[in-house]
Amino acid sequence: MRSRFSAFALDRHDYLLASWHPKTRPDSIETNGTIQWMRLEILGSETQGDSGNVHFRATFREARHWQVLEENSRFVREDGRWYYLDGVPSVTRLKPGRNDPCPCGSQRKFKSCCGR
Ligand SMILES: [Zn+2]
């Protein structure tokens, strides 16, 4: 299931669609070229038989605006493969200060990292 999130970060739409459950899969994924995925954190995951979920937080940047998307995604296993079913994303705007830790996860201060 985790590989799906790396795909998100890398904009691998073909993989995303292939791992999306046919019941909820969109015909295509709109590409928004201005979004840069910066960081991905898996906050938790669990499986129960053929269903599972992954709670994740993805930090992205759109021009100079930082935002965090958090979602608890549901997955289902069919014929040994995991498929993304659905999830309700919530998006929060970030306002990193110059001396705050950089939201990209570099452990450096924002002003000496992405905030330069
Ligand atoms: Zn940074």
Side-chain angles (χ1 to χ4, degrees), residues 52-67:
N53 64 65
V54 176
H55 184 197
F56 74 97
R57 186 155 59 197
T59 305
F60 65 95
R61 191 178 171 180
E62 196 170 5
R64 299 188 70 82
H65 300 295
W66 289 79
Q67 297 181 77

Side-chain angles (χ1 to χ4, degrees), residues 11-86:
D11 274 332
R12 290 273 314 280
H13 293 163
D14 47 347
Y15 175 85
L16 276 177
L17 286 171
S19 64
W20 204 307
H21 196 276
K23 215 167 71 185
T24 53
R25 178 168 56 204
D27 292 335
S28 65
I29 297 176
E30 276 180 47
T31 312
N32 187 334
T34 64
I35 284 184
Q36 265 181 290
W37 295 98
M38 304 298 288
R39 185 185 189 186
L40 178 75
E41 297 158 278
I42 308 288
L43 306 176
S45 62
E46 58 179 36
T47 53
Q48 246 185 357
D50 285 333
S51 60
N53 64 65
V54 176
H55 184 197
F56 74 97
R57 186 155 59 197
T59 305
F60 65 95
R61 191 178 171 180
E62 196 170 5
R64 299 188 70 82
H65 300 295
W66 289 79
Q67 297 181 77
V68 172
L69 181 153
E70 193 170 332
E71 185 183 300
N72 210 332
S73 307
R74 294 197 303 154
F75 288 81
V76 57
R77 184 162 52 190
E78 285 181 11
D79 300 326
R81 284 194 57 188
W82 285 100
Y83 293 95
Y84 175 77
L85 199 57
D86 56 19

Side-chain angles (χ1 to χ4, degrees), residues 38 61 66 101-116:
M38 304 298 288
R61 191 178 171 180
W66 289 79
C102 191
C104 78
S106 68
Q107 320 260 347
R108 288 153 65 197
K109 286 184 179 177
F110 184 57
K111 66 178 178 190
S112 54
C113 189
C114 304
R116 270 192 295 201

